[in-house]
Amino acid sequence: MLEMRGLKLTERFKSTQVHAFNSSETTGSSSNNKTCVLATGAKLNRQRIISFVSKPKSRNSTKSAIENLLPFQLPSTELLEPSIDPFLKPINLVETLAELYHRLESCTQSQKASLCIEQYSLLRSLGDQKLLRRCLRAARQNAEDLLSKVVLSAWLRYERREDELEDVSSMECGGYVLECPKASLVSGYCPISINDHCQCLEDPVEGRTNTSISTENVSLPDEESDVSFCIGSEEIHCVRYRMAALSDPFKVMLYGSFKESKMKKIDFSQNGICPMGMRAVELYSRTKRLDLFCPKTVLELLSFANRFSCEEMKSACDAHLASFVDNVEDALILIDYGLGERATLLVGACLQVLLRELPKSLYNSKVIKILCTFEAKERLAMMGYASFLLYHFLSQVAMEESMASKMTVMLLERLGECATEKWQKGLAFHQLGCVLLERKEYKDARRCFEAAAEAGHVYSIAGVARAKQKLGQPYSAYKLLSSLIFEYKPAGWMYQERALYNMGREKTVDLDIATELDPTLSFPYKYRALAMVEEKQIKAGILELDKIIGFKLSPDCLELRAWLYIALEDYESAMRDIRALLTLEPNYITFHGRISGQYLVQILNHKVQEKNQAECWMQLYEQWSSVDDIGSLAIIHQMLENEPKRSLLEFRQSLLLLRLNCQKAAMRSLRLARNHSCSLQEKLIYEGWIHYDTGYRDEALYKAETSIAIQRSFEVFFLKAYVLADANLDSKSSSYVIKLLEEALKCPSDGLRKGQALNNLGSMYVDCGKLDLAEKCYMNALAIRHTRAHQGLARVYHQKNQRKAAHDEMTKLIEKAKSNASAYEKRSEYCDREMAKIDLDITTQLDPLRTYPYRYRAAVMMDEQKETEAVQELTKAINFKPDLQMLHLRAAFYESVGDLSSAVQDCRAALCLDPNHTDTQDLYRRAQKLNF
């Protein structure tokens, strides 16, 4: 592989962060999308900043740290601003998804892959990684041309971030056709399942060398040469009819009316081939073999074939050379030859290597020259390889690496040049506008946002307004957003954006409406928190941030809350938030992009009590039993600081992150656990979890079974049971899963994991009707402080018709759990209707992303014949979280009141999210039949 000497790779997994403002600007005219925090405004007490580092381990270093912190203050409400999201954001996502699904139903095979990529681009705003991977798989499954296969195969690998797995080659086949590099180089559509295995691992290709094979033992046709090609003083003896068979030009020359047809010796000195190359041509004409030659000779044959239209030879050379490309260095050398000789397969193979090495390959200047410039795009376009899909993938990777780099700008410019459809132009110009806004090139950013809006992407008007504000036109920006609210169905982001250009009471009202329409927007919470701080109500500000952190964990909100805790001199809480933040983004920079989060931890260490590993384990049990996931994250972060590269801890970290719906961070922790494993058996377990979490269930089972063959352990039995339980189980399968969990519990483990296993085993027993055994499991789990077992025990009591006992059990969970939105939701099932409504209202207040409360309230309204109110209840949630179950229920409501066109639209949108949802498919067919 090409060594990346001297290259400094950018930090990974960096989400877009937003500066309050650039501290070098006094006008507040800029926003830097790297880190959300500190600007001027409500000041941190200077004495508090000094006091929280008043017990230094090293007096000089701490004094320096103090000096660095003194100039900084809390953000100001006047200068705080949100980022412009760099993805498609339709005004009516449900309508757009429904229309897309309708096109998918009726499109030709050649259109499917492109429509799946459009679907991927539309769904990015939902942030569901599994949903996005399914779109990419469907696109790869339906791809026909070689470039699309190469790009999508590499894109799937990038989404799995296999570049971060140690000892895994970028060209290694993971075992599935969709991601196999060899299968990608086969042109034409081939119907495959997303789970189809390829033969790479079963039939490995024998090693190849770059030297020619000896021809001494090669069996050649017994033929006499009857023509010679002279190059300089050397003669190459050939068989005339064999040479004539290479191409029509040779056939005409050797058998046509030209004088060469009568000649025994033909002068070939001026045809750009050396004697060795001509001997290779002669040998190929008789053997049709290329493995006799080194790559350099095959390149000469390729050039010769191009010059004399030897199509069979050209194809053979193209394929042979493509098989040699397996590292960046070779790809960079051979791609120029491939482009020069128009060798389609060779160029595809070279591109594949460069793409499968992303993001690392983007830091190679030669790669940038080949992919990013206008001239490079034109060269690729001559071969049909400069596609929107290629630059869509490249630009997304570049934006994740650095939003403000020149490379990102270049790739987005190429993306815009390749865009042909309206959605493609809207996406390309909008993303380029976001990048230029980040680079403070406001005039160009405005032009790009306007071009995106012209292409139909209404959300880009927010970018136009932001650029205008930066250019000193705040009133024009305000009018633009006001006209948007008047013209279209209002959305939360519209009011949030207009609030930036509003003042006083009107600003507050706009932000309150924004939260009502879309409670997932974090900016209004941060603004209100800071407004409270400016009124010297710091605790109230923290409570305001608690509202969104309780259901949506984001680094910027955690950082801001940490600074408010520092202002209150609550350093333990501040440390907790910073450690949780660094679990999400290990390279996060605080203090307006000037101080690393890790350095802030070092400073805070002077004011909090240090804990050894044993004390950390005790505290982890406390946090776990109180269902404090953020606190648990912080403790594990400290434990990894005490004991780096401990795979067991990194695995626990990944489980917590998944529970908090932080999928990317969870997968990073899981990859680290795999890399730091001490044994093959342990590595297989974590690889199994990686495969399961990325949708490869069969491969996960295979890893588990291989690990069991090496050594029995708690985690491997738990993995296998968990994967099997994910399917629709019959009684036999359920019994097998129970047996696996029982085997897991016989193996050594700690109370945290055994509590989870007991909880899962209890759930299986309930499903099988073995209530007494289930009750025993839950009781044992509670005995080792697995608090979540209260929910399972409540389910057992409910099954036994002990409704009050079930209600009381959930009340115990609510009293113990710090994160208890799900507990209120579950308790509602054991209440009468009025009490259930109260519990579900509390659930929505604590976590507006939970969909059951909306569905329950809507169903109650339908029972009361309040059809309009029922639809409105679901619509309120669908507007900020399009959910399969809610769309299905709203479609059923529409069907029941005779609004069949709306029912069809909702069904299509739901099927765009999950085309295999049986209930929605049935409803869709019924509504269509009645509607036409």
Side-chain angles (χ1 to χ4, degrees):
M1 302 301 276
L2 184 68
E3 292 184 13
M4 306 295 286
R5 294 189 180 96
L7 292 178
K8 185 177 181 181
L9 300 185
T10 304
E11 303 151 358
R12 295 284 172 79
F13 293 94
K14 205 184 274 182
S15 70
T16 303
Q17 306 169 24
V18 186
H19 277 303
F21 81 119
N22 189 314
S23 59
S24 63
E25 295 177 358
T26 56
T27 61
S29 63
S30 169
S31 152
N32 188 335
N33 293 332
K34 287 287 179 189
T35 323
C36 169
V37 286
L38 311 178
T40 59
K43 298 182 178 180
L44 269 177
N45 187 301
R46 291 170 75 94
Q47 293 304 315
R48 287 179 179 168
I49 296 176
I50 295 171
S51 68
F52 86 85
V53 287
S54 62
K55 295 180 180 178
K57 294 177 181 177
S58 169
R59 198 170 293 276
N60 290 336
S61 64
T62 305
K63 182 178 179 181
S64 174
I66 297 169
E67 293 301 321
N68 285 334
L69 292 177
L70 284 177
F72 296 95
Q73 302 159 342
L74 284 174
S76 162
T77 52
E78 293 303 315
L79 298 172
L80 190 71
E81 62 181 27
S83 64
I84 301 292
D85 293 327
F87 39 70
L88 292 178
K89 204 166 182 175
I91 283 288
N92 189 330
L93 182 57
V94 171
E95 184 180 311
T96 306
L97 291 178
E99 190 269 335
L100 175 61
Y101 183 78
H102 185 49
R103 283 189 284 141
L104 274 166
E105 282 185 299
S106 56
C107 71
T108 63
Q109 178 58 49
S110 62
Q111 297 172 313
K112 281 187 179 178
S114 176
L115 288 173
C116 289
I117 292 301
E118 182 179 352
Q119 182 184 25
Y120 171 90
S121 302
L122 285 169
L123 295 175
R124 274 195 71 200
S125 62
L126 302 184
D128 187 331
Q129 299 304 312
K130 290 184 178 180
L131 192 58
L132 296 179
R133 273 195 295 271
R134 195 177 69 214
C135 293
L136 291 177
R137 283 181 191 157
R140 170 64 184 87
Q141 187 180 18
N142 291 288
E144 293 184 328
D145 62 287
L146 186 145
L147 178 64
S148 294
K149 292 180 179 182
V150 163
V151 173
L152 290 164
S153 174
W155 202 334
L156 283 166
R157 183 181 188 277
Y158 174 78
E159 288 296 320
R160 289 159 63 85
R161 300 313 296 254
E162 288 199 359
D163 61 295
E164 295 189 350
L165 293 178
E166 294 176 356
D167 305 318
V168 175
S169 164
S170 63
M171 296 303 289
E172 197 170 298
C173 176
Y176 288 92
V177 175
L178 290 187
E179 296 183 31
C180 175
K182 292 175 186 173
S184 299
L185 294 177
V186 179
S187 294
Y189 172 66
C190 178
I192 52 174
S193 162
I194 60 170
N195 294 315
D196 279 359
H197 290 265
C198 66
Q199 304 301 312
C200 285
L201 300 180
E202 298 174 18
D203 303 311
V205 177
E206 294 182 5
R208 299 162 305 191
T209 65
N210 286 345
T211 59
S212 60
I213 299 173
S214 172
T215 61
E216 290 180 6
N217 298 320
V218 176
S219 177
L220 299 174
D222 186 16
E223 297 172 305
E224 256 187 65
S225 61
D226 53 358
V227 66
S228 297
F229 288 86
C230 302
I231 299 174
S233 60
E234 298 192 38
E235 290 186 21
I236 296 88
H237 303 291
C238 304
V239 178
R240 184 180 292 269
Y241 86 91
R242 295 280 186 188
M243 294 296 292
L246 291 177
S247 71
D248 287 341
F250 267 106
K251 184 178 180 181
V252 171
M253 180 178 71
L254 296 172
Y255 286 105
S257 57
F258 291 97
K259 63 180 181 179
E260 285 85 356
S261 64
K262 309 295 183 184
M263 298 171 63
K264 295 267 185 174
K265 293 184 180 181
I266 299 171
D267 184 9
F268 226 62
S269 300
Q270 305 303 313
N271 285 288
I273 190 168
C274 69
M276 184 182 292
M278 197 62 197
R279 287 192 183 91
V281 172
E282 188 277 331
L283 191 55
Y284 174 82
S285 74
R286 288 185 289 151
T287 64
K288 303 301 180 184
R289 289 177 60 180
L290 293 171
D291 58 332
L292 307 172
F293 315 118
C294 68
K296 184 177 179 181
T297 300
V298 179
L299 282 170
E300 194 167 6
L301 290 180
L302 175 64
S303 180
F304 179 90
N306 241 342
R307 201 175 307 121
F308 292 97
S309 302
C310 306
E311 295 303 326
E312 182 185 347
M313 184 193 292
K314 178 181 177 180
S315 296
C317 291
D318 192 6
H320 187 73
L321 289 167
S323 71
F324 277 92
V325 187
D326 59 6
N327 62 65
V328 171
E329 187 176 355
D330 289 344
L332 291 172
I333 293 169
L334 291 172
I335 195 168
D336 276 332
Y337 285 102
L339 288 167
E341 300 298 340
R342 299 180 67 81
T344 306
L345 202 59
L346 178 57
V347 173
C350 293
L351 280 175
Q352 176 162 253
V353 170
L354 301 182
L355 295 177
R356 290 175 76 91
E357 284 283 344
L358 289 171
K360 183 171 62 176
S361 57
L362 282 181
Y363 294 91
N364 186 320
S365 58
K366 293 180 182 178
V367 174
I368 293 174
K369 186 177 179 182
I370 287 170
L371 294 176
C372 300
T373 65
F374 175 78
E375 293 74 20
K377 190 265 295 182
E378 290 297 293
R379 287 186 75 193
L380 290 171
M382 290 175 66
M383 297 185 64
Y385 273 9
S387 71
F388 179 85
L389 177 64
L390 171 65
Y391 285 104
H392 188 4
F393 177 36
L394 286 169
S395 60
Q396 182 171 313
V397 175
M399 290 174 72
E400 289 181 9
E401 291 294 296
S402 172
M403 275 289 287
S405 72
K406 180 62 179 174
M407 173 186 65
T408 304
V409 173
M410 292 168 68
L411 287 170
L412 285 169
E413 288 172 344
R414 304 293 82 77
L415 182 69
E417 291 160 4
C418 293
T420 55
E421 300 178 38
K422 286 185 69 175
W423 76 267
Q424 294 176 345
K425 292 176 182 178
L427 176 65
F429 286 120
H430 179 76
Q431 290 187 329
L432 184 54
C434 291
V435 169
L436 293 172
L437 195 66
E438 172 76 7
R439 290 167 61 87
K440 302 170 190 167
E441 298 174 21
Y442 301 127
K443 288 184 179 179
D444 289 338
R446 174 181 169 179
R447 281 194 288 269
C448 287
F449 284 128
E450 287 173 340
E454 262 184 58
H457 189 234
V458 177
Y459 176 62
S460 293
I461 293 174
V464 176
R466 192 74 64 89
K468 283 188 172 186
Q469 189 263 344
K470 299 296 183 186
L471 292 167
Q473 305 169 36
Y475 183 62
S476 178
Y478 173 81
K479 287 199 299 181
L480 196 59
L481 265 302
S482 294
S483 64
L484 197 65
I485 291 170
F486 178 77
E487 186 175 352
Y488 295 97
K489 179 182 176 182
W493 64 263
M494 296 180 187
Y495 285 94
Q496 174 180 273
E497 288 298 315
R498 191 174 72 172
L500 299 178
Y501 320 117
N502 231 325
M503 296 178 67
R505 174 65 180 161
E506 288 78 8
K507 190 183 194 88
T508 303
V509 169
D510 271 357
L511 289 175
D512 288 345
I513 295 173
T515 298
E516 184 181 346
L517 292 173
D518 186 353
T520 67
L521 296 171
S522 61
F523 173 75
Y525 298 93
K526 292 189 288 184
Y527 178 89
R528 287 189 289 265
L530 286 171
M532 293 169 186
V533 171
E534 289 174 354
E535 296 295 324
K536 299 182 180 180
Q537 301 175 38
I538 299 177
K539 289 183 179 179
I542 290 172
L543 290 174
E544 181 65 25
L545 290 173
D546 287 347
K547 292 178 184 177
I548 187 165
I549 291 173
F551 67 89
K552 183 184 177 183
L553 203 58
S554 63
D556 55 340
C557 290
L558 281 171
E559 184 193 5
L560 181 54
R561 191 172 72 173
W563 290 113
L564 298 191
Y565 277 125
I566 289 171
L568 286 177
E569 300 182 356
D570 184 351
Y571 307 117
E572 289 281 356
S573 296
M575 178 69 95
R576 176 204 63 206
D577 282 355
I578 293 297
R579 286 193 182 279
L581 181 161
L582 290 173
T583 302
L584 297 177
E585 295 195 17
N587 300 309
Y588 195 91
I589 309 297
T590 67
F591 263 163
H592 190 44
R594 296 193 182 185
I595 297 178
S596 74
Q598 293 289 357
Y599 184 60
L600 183 56
V601 166
Q602 293 175 25
I603 297 174
L604 283 169
N605 267 331
H606 297 293
K607 281 304 256 185
V608 298
Q609 183 179 355
E610 293 187 18
K611 299 181 184 70
N612 60 35
Q613 205 72 338
E615 290 170 327
C616 285
W617 273 109
M618 290 177 63
Q619 189 170 351
L620 182 58
Y621 270 90
E622 291 291 337
Q623 305 289 0
W624 195 274
S625 64
S626 64
V627 197
D628 182 1
D629 293 332
I630 295 176
S632 298
L633 274 185
I635 292 298
I636 291 179
H637 184 272
Q638 183 173 354
M639 294 170 79
L640 282 167
E641 198 175 74
N642 296 341
E643 195 176 350
K645 299 185 178 181
R646 180 79 188 279
S647 58
L648 171 67
L649 294 173
E650 287 163 337
F651 176 56
R652 301 298 170 82
Q653 191 178 67
S654 73
L655 296 176
L656 279 166
L657 288 164
L658 276 178
R659 185 179 294 159
L660 290 163
N661 199 31
C662 303
Q663 295 180 38
K664 281 193 173 183
M667 287 301 296
R668 181 184 63 242
S669 294
L670 197 49
R671 286 191 293 271
L672 288 172
R674 181 265 186 198
N675 288 344
H676 298 149
S677 298
C678 298
S679 66
L680 174 60
Q681 183 265 346
E682 187 182 19
K683 182 180 288 187
L684 287 166
I685 293 169
Y686 300 139
E687 287 178 355
W689 281 113
I690 289 172
H691 281 293
Y692 173 74
D693 287 340
T694 51
Y696 291 113
R697 185 173 168 272
D698 291 342
E699 189 67 19
L701 282 174
Y702 172 76
K703 296 286 183 181
E705 287 161 0
T706 307
S707 181
I708 288 172
I710 298 172
Q711 181 183 336
R712 295 160 60 89
S713 70
F714 173 91
E715 290 298 349
V716 72
F717 282 118
F718 191 91
L719 167 63
K720 189 172 181 180
Y722 198 92
V723 175
L724 288 172
D726 192 40
N728 293 323
L729 299 177
D730 54 26
S731 58
K732 184 177 179 181
S733 300
S734 297
S735 298
Y736 184 52
V737 172
I738 288 171
K739 183 179 177 182
L740 288 169
L741 288 170
E742 289 172 342
E743 288 296 319
L745 288 164
K746 293 175 186 176
C747 300
S749 187
D750 59 71
L752 298 177
R753 291 300 279 156
K754 291 220 169 188
Q756 185 65 58
L758 285 165
N759 202 57
N760 286 22
L761 182 56
S763 179
M764 293 301 301
Y765 279 138
V766 173
D767 291 341
C768 295
K770 300 177 180 179
L771 299 182
D772 291 337
L773 287 173
E775 184 175 356
K776 183 179 178 182
C777 280
Y778 291 128
M779 287 294 191
N780 288 337
L782 288 171
I784 54 176
R785 303 175 67 186
H786 188 77
T787 307
R788 287 184 173 87
H790 282 296
Q791 183 167 318
L793 197 54
R795 185 182 172 203
V796 170
Y797 291 147
H798 181 61
Q799 294 279 328
K800 290 183 174 182
N801 294 318
Q802 300 173 14
R803 194 177 179 88
K804 184 179 185 306
H807 180 277
D808 292 344
E809 205 63 37
M810 290 309 301
T811 302
K812 292 176 186 177
L813 178 56
I814 289 169
E815 291 168 351
K816 291 180 182 179
K818 186 162 186 178
S819 306
N820 52 22
S822 63
Y824 277 106
E825 178 180 293
K826 194 66 180 177
R827 190 175 72 173
S828 69
E829 296 180 24
Y830 313 128
C831 304
D832 59 36
R833 179 172 283 192
E834 286 305 313
M835 290 300 296
K837 186 178 182 304
I838 292 171
D839 273 356
L840 291 175
D841 287 345
I842 294 172
T843 302
T844 298
Q845 185 180 353
L846 293 173
D847 185 355
L849 292 175
R850 303 189 76 87
T851 61
Y852 174 74
Y854 302 100
R855 289 185 282 128
Y856 177 88
R857 288 188 290 262
V860 169
M861 292 171 187
M862 283 298 286
D863 286 345
E864 296 172 351
Q865 297 184 333
K866 298 177 181 177
E867 293 89 352
T868 303
E869 291 87 341
V871 168
Q872 286 174 348
E873 178 66 22
L874 291 173
T875 302
K876 180 171 62 176
I878 288 170
N879 284 340
F880 64 84
K881 187 186 178 181
D883 173 81
L884 174 67
Q885 296 293 341
M886 287 194 291
L887 284 167
H888 173 82
L889 184 58
R890 191 173 71 172
F893 286 175
Y894 279 134
E895 183 198 33
S896 69
V897 297
D899 188 350
L900 296 174
S901 59
S902 294
V904 167
Q905 178 173 282
D906 276 359
C907 284
R908 285 174 176 164
L911 291 171
C912 199
L913 298 176
D914 183 359
N916 300 316
H917 193 252
T918 308
D919 290 343
T920 303
Q921 288 174 342
D922 293 341
L923 177 57
Y924 180 42
R925 283 190 289 268
R926 191 166 63 246
Q928 274 189 310
K929 186 176 180 180
L930 292 170
N931 195 36
F932 296 107

